[in-house]
Amino acid sequence: MEQLLFSCCFLADEIRPQRLRWVLVSLPCETTLGVSMAGSQAASRLVHPLSCVRAAKGWTFQDVVDIVARGTNGSARRDKAWRWENWGVEPDLPSQLAIAEELGVPEDQVRSQRWPAWLPDGDPIRTGFPWTAPGTLQALNDTLEHAILDRRAFMKLSGPTLVGLAEEWLAVEPPALTEVLSGGRVGDRLVERMEDGLPRLRELEAACGGERARKLLDAELGIVTRILDRSSYSAASGRRLYRLAAELGRIAGFASFDAGLHSAAQRYWTTGLRAAHCADDPAVAANILKSMSLQCYDHGMFRASLDLARTAVDGAGPVTARAQAMLLLRQARAEAACGNRAACDHVLAAAERAYARSAGTDGEPGWTAYFDEAEFHAQVGTCHIDLGRQADAGRSFAGALALMPEAKARDRATYVIRLSSTQLALGEAEHAISLLLSAVELIHEAPSQRNIVRAKAVRDRLPFERSDPRAVQLDTGLATLVA
């Protein structure tokens, strides 16, 4: 896909709904939002709280170990700090105390919090806003201020915090929206045209990758937030606008997640959850929790992933059969990751029944459009991988790829990589490396940091010497990937 028409953008310094001008913008995927593959900022991502500290202080790895050496009379080997930041190695307590003293962090804080939680990495993600319309606007503005510039490639909110937020969403009654007389009147036609842009934005993010789409999504969310903040609208229009903000937050969060910017994703999603609450749309909120569950899954936080997935299923309310199947499959994946074999099989059976009921049904929400038969098989395959059923997983992924449209390059790459992993587990290394080579080409077409990480993880398991021509070809291809 060389070009893609996407959502209408506003052309105005001051947003006045009665005088908005719209334009359909046509941009090549390679230059969307001014972000090209060559211009990716992946190298500047902050992969650990220590990298945030170093960026703020202008420290090199050598500076860090020099500080530790002065405080402990130990060695000043640069590679120690690199391992702390990139390999998850935890420095001993004297080293931590030396760094804390340099940063002015009290010793009792170091002793009471595990590394790296006590490091002052700046810009906390605020989650204490009231579950009201004004509180949601505060959260939206806070997210818009910080998320697009957030380069942190690690999750900042812990599992318990995320689960607590989900529980708050279930417990709080939606606020009653009333007409707000702070600006121009928002009519139904304007809201409809804004909603009509959502399918294009979803398609853009899926086709071109999260890194290329996230700035546009942030700008669209900013427009909706400004309208909510400065305009007047009926209660019904207000709910639609908050629903629109929630869905834009979800897509922007997934774009950030796909780009490997995990703190930014958390900002968008936690705020989107509040917007869905204001819209009194528990299904939209449940879909956001489903994304949050997937992020926890990717980070090995399986218990939190399961709690979020179960909350999504329990709190979604009456949903369509397709939406129910989507939510159940996220729970099944989390059950499998936790080793709950019987529970996973039970939920998988329920998901299969729900999906069977979805054929030919009308009235599905737009956010379920991606969830076709291919996606269903792929999600089932992932459950089989986590339960050690590699042959079953291979059949599921092969079936998914046979059904998946060629245009869905990012999803094809994901499931080619997973099929490669299953083939390797089954002793088919030749087939595995062939599949991985084809995945590299797909990632070039639709860049994704998550797929790059997956591909490299499978490469590390391949039993080929680095001098082997096939390994050389693969390593050369992987080295060219930029999300």
Side-chain angles (χ1 to χ4, degrees):
M1 182 184 300
E2 293 181 355
Q3 293 188 328
L4 182 67
L5 289 177
F6 57 87
S7 177
C8 295
C9 297
F10 294 108
L11 299 178
D13 293 330
E14 291 295 321
I15 301 298
R16 294 183 177 89
Q18 68 273 30
R19 293 170 51 195
L20 289 176
R21 291 188 293 139
W22 297 72
V23 61
L24 279 173
V25 183
S26 178
L27 291 179
C29 284
E30 293 300 321
T31 58
T32 299
L33 314 178
V35 180
S36 68
M37 289 179 66
S40 171
Q41 298 300 309
S44 64
R45 288 190 178 129
L46 305 173
V47 299
H48 188 278
L50 181 58
S51 61
C52 292
V53 171
R54 291 198 307 106
K57 296 290 187 180
W59 291 348
T60 64
F61 287 121
Q62 190 62 54
D63 292 329
V64 174
V65 294
D66 286 344
I67 289 167
V68 171
R70 288 196 301 270
T72 63
N73 294 320
S75 65
R77 287 172 36 224
R78 177 181 178 276
D79 64 299
K80 289 197 301 184
W82 190 92
R83 289 198 299 270
W84 296 340
E85 192 169 302
N86 291 277
W87 282 6
V89 175
E90 183 174 333
D92 59 26
L93 182 58
S95 297
Q96 292 187 46
L97 292 174
I99 297 171
E101 183 177 1
E102 185 73 18
L103 295 172
V105 176
E107 180 177 337
D108 60 349
Q109 185 174 332
V110 178
R111 293 182 180 275
S112 63
Q113 300 181 36
R114 288 197 58 180
W115 171 273
W118 62 263
L119 286 169
D121 60 359
D123 289 337
I125 300 177
R126 298 173 61 191
T127 61
F129 299 104
W131 290 86
T132 61
T136 297
L137 284 171
Q138 290 177 348
L140 282 164
N141 282 308
D142 183 74
T143 294
L144 290 165
E145 180 181 354
H146 295 100
I148 201 65
L149 299 176
D150 197 335
R151 296 181 295 134
R152 287 177 293 187
F154 58 91
M155 292 176 66
K156 188 158 178 61
L157 296 179
S158 66
T161 299
L162 296 173
V163 173
L165 195 68
E167 291 173 347
E168 285 182 30
W169 162 65
L170 282 179
V172 180
E173 289 297 321
L177 290 173
T178 58
E179 293 188 8
V180 180
L181 301 176
S182 59
R185 185 74 176 175
V186 177
D188 290 343
R189 179 57 181 152
L190 172 64
V191 180
E192 287 173 8
R193 294 182 71 180
M194 297 174 73
E195 291 170 338
D196 288 345
L198 281 175
R200 295 187 182 96
L201 288 168
R202 295 187 189 104
E203 186 178 355
L204 172 72
E205 194 279 326
C208 295
E211 184 65 56
R212 293 168 174 172
R214 62 190 301 268
K215 289 184 181 179
L216 173 65
L217 292 161
D218 185 86
E220 293 271 347
L221 180 60
I223 291 167
V224 176
T225 299
R226 197 166 185 183
I227 291 173
L228 281 165
D229 201 16
R230 300 190 180 187
S231 304
S232 66
Y233 36 82
S234 67
S237 292
R239 281 190 289 272
R240 291 170 68 183
L241 286 166
Y242 276 110
R243 183 182 299 112
L244 183 61
E247 179 62 0
L248 286 169
R250 184 195 67 81
I251 305 170
F254 199 91
S256 300
F257 175 44
D258 181 62
L261 300 171
H262 297 292
S263 290
Q266 289 187 315
R267 290 184 190 276
Y268 286 119
W269 286 334
T270 55
T271 297
L273 192 65
R274 293 180 185 279
H277 180 72
C278 278
D280 194 12
D281 196 326
V284 169
N287 195 35
I288 294 171
L289 288 178
K290 179 173 73 72
S291 295
M292 294 164 66
S293 172
L294 179 60
Q295 186 185 44
C296 288
Y297 173 95
D298 274 14
H299 281 74
M301 299 164 58
F302 299 137
R303 184 68 242 181
S305 177
L306 180 56
D307 288 342
L308 290 168
R310 287 176 174 173
T311 301
V313 170
D314 293 343
V319 293
T320 63
R322 188 180 301 270
Q324 184 181 26
M326 285 175 55
L327 297 173
L328 286 170
L329 277 175
R330 178 67 69 240
Q331 180 182 341
R333 286 185 58 177
E335 298 280 9
C338 289
N340 302 335
R341 185 178 298 267
C344 176
D345 287 339
H346 176 76
V347 177
L348 278 177
E352 187 171 2
R353 291 192 297 271
Y355 188 77
R357 295 196 306 273
S358 71
T361 57
D362 297 323
E364 291 286 350
W367 43 264
T368 68
Y370 85 97
F371 190 73
D372 53 16
E373 188 176 357
E375 184 67 22
F376 179 88
H377 286 300
Q379 295 297 323
V380 172
T382 304
C383 292
H384 288 319
I385 284 181
D386 287 342
L387 293 175
R389 302 166 178 168
Q390 300 297 337
D392 290 337
R395 286 189 288 271
S396 292
F397 289 126
L401 290 167
L403 293 166
M404 189 167 289
E406 293 293 332
K408 297 178 71 171
R410 183 175 64 186
D411 290 341
R412 287 190 68 83
T414 298
Y415 301 127
V416 167
I417 293 167
R418 288 194 173 140
L419 180 58
S420 174
S421 177
T422 63
Q423 293 304 298
L424 181 57
L426 292 169
E428 300 291 340
E430 296 282 351
H431 191 196
I433 196 169
S434 175
L435 288 165
L436 211 52
L437 284 165
S438 67
V440 169
E441 297 305 314
L442 290 167
I443 297 172
H444 276 298
E445 185 177 341
S448 165
Q449 183 65 25
R450 293 175 70 220
N451 278 339
I452 293 172
V453 170
R454 292 184 180 113
K456 289 181 176 178
V458 178
R459 166 62 186 100
D460 289 343
R461 293 165 46 207
L462 288 170
F464 296 99
E465 297 292 335
R466 292 201 174 272
S467 58
D468 187 296
R470 294 160 297 184
V472 171
Q473 181 185 2
L474 178 58
D475 290 342
T476 301
L478 289 171
T480 66
L481 295 179
V482 180

